[in-house]
Amino acid sequence: MSQLLRSAVSYANTLGIKLPILLSPMAGACPPSLSVAVVQAGGLGACGCNDMSPEAIHKWSHEFRSVFPEHSASVSLGNNFQMNIWVPDDTSSYVRDSSSDAMAEYLERKYDSIVEDVSPKYSYEDQLEAMLSARPRAVSTIMGLLPAQYVDKLKHEGISWFACATTVQEAVLAADAGADAIVVQGVEAGGHRGTYDPKDGDQVHIGLMSLIPSVVDNVQVPVIAAGGIADARGITAALSLGASAVQMGTVFLCAKESGVPSSWSERIATSYPESTTITRRFTGRAARALKTEFVTNKETPIEIPPYPEQARLTRNITKKGVRENNIDIMKAWSGQSGGLVGKTGESAQGMIRRIWQDTENLVS
């Protein structure tokens, strides 16, 4: 094995895993079975907790660990996952106005879907406490920094904090705040942009290949590369530029354990970089998705309400898309390199082993 890969594997070992490959924590698309397959291949599993109640967070960790029984040789694998949450921005001043009313009227008319006034019965703090009690290998954040008291709690419990950053400035802030690793998110990444300021989501477009070395040169903690990595070539490039590990999401939406609707995974597998775009139409925050009818429809009112209002307005529509396997109305997130997967139905375990073998062959 080359020195480049030995260094990356050495970092992976500090996380309790064999390979420097992390599953991206994708809210709503990370069932325990997917993480189990990733962990069994030597990677780090993940759970996207943003839309989960504390009870659901506990249920996820219990189901994941049930595969790795106590008093067995694999018991330590039961901690090999990260749990991720958004850092909430200030929405206290938001008041529903005419833009919200216009959007609700349009969505109900266009998609025959009733908008419900649903608010979670738990707080951000409740979710963080549940994540702490689940004792993952790491807690990761996106769109901001953890409050200092929770950074202290994580360190006391021996749980790492992975902080997402989309710019060098964000990375430096996170490192100074006590992050144990920086997950640099290139603009190629699928799903929500991790910018600390919501307005930057569709303005700050830094590619991963530029972001990795710039962040590596400006922080003293390991850097994990995310965004547009789908095969051995992407892993090799990221590690060569100074990343200690990679985080991959879209590629695993095509794995048989992902559980996402077939219309979504099949579209990913046949997509090109230009098949995706950044949109606020699903949640009010910028996110990269496939160019479906919902995303590209020119009839949509010009003004889109901010998060979480737009997410509330579209919730029933996107749920209907999942139920009906209708890609045109589901939140079909995808990074720009999803098409490199080429097929669906392979196990995540097999994907990781194949991709890592390809990486070893490429670097040797």
Side-chain angles (χ1 to χ4, degrees), residues 21 23-24 26 28-41 230 248-270 333 338-355:
I21 297 176
L23 171 64
S24 180
M26 302 171 287
C30 277
S33 58
L34 178 56
S35 283
V36 167
V38 168
V39 168
Q40 289 175 331
M248 302 163 68
T250 302
V251 62
F252 293 118
L253 293 177
C254 294
K256 68 178 184 181
E257 298 90 352
S258 74
V260 303
S262 59
S263 62
W264 181 4
S265 59
E266 289 167 3
R267 182 75 68 86
I268 288 173
T270 58
W333 308 130
L340 297 178
V341 179
K343 61 181 179 180
T344 64
E346 186 180 5
S347 73
Q349 188 173 358
M351 294 168 78
I352 289 178
R353 288 175 174 168
R354 173 178 53 78
I355 291 172

Side-chain angles (χ1 to χ4, degrees), residues 9-22 39 42-45 77 80-81 137 245:
V9 168
S10 178
Y11 172 66
N13 294 163
T14 69
L15 301 177
I17 57 178
K18 295 180 179 180
L19 299 177
I21 297 176
L22 286 63
V39 168
L44 189 74
L77 299 180
N80 284 358
F81 62 93
R137 190 72 66 183

Side-chain angles (χ1 to χ4, degrees), residues 150-174:
Y150 284 103
V151 176
D152 293 339
K153 285 185 178 182
L154 287 175
K155 293 188 181 301
H156 182 264
E157 296 295 333
I159 300 172
S160 296
W161 171 31
F162 296 165
C164 178
T166 64
T167 66
V168 174
Q169 183 181 33
E170 290 175 353
V172 171
L173 288 173

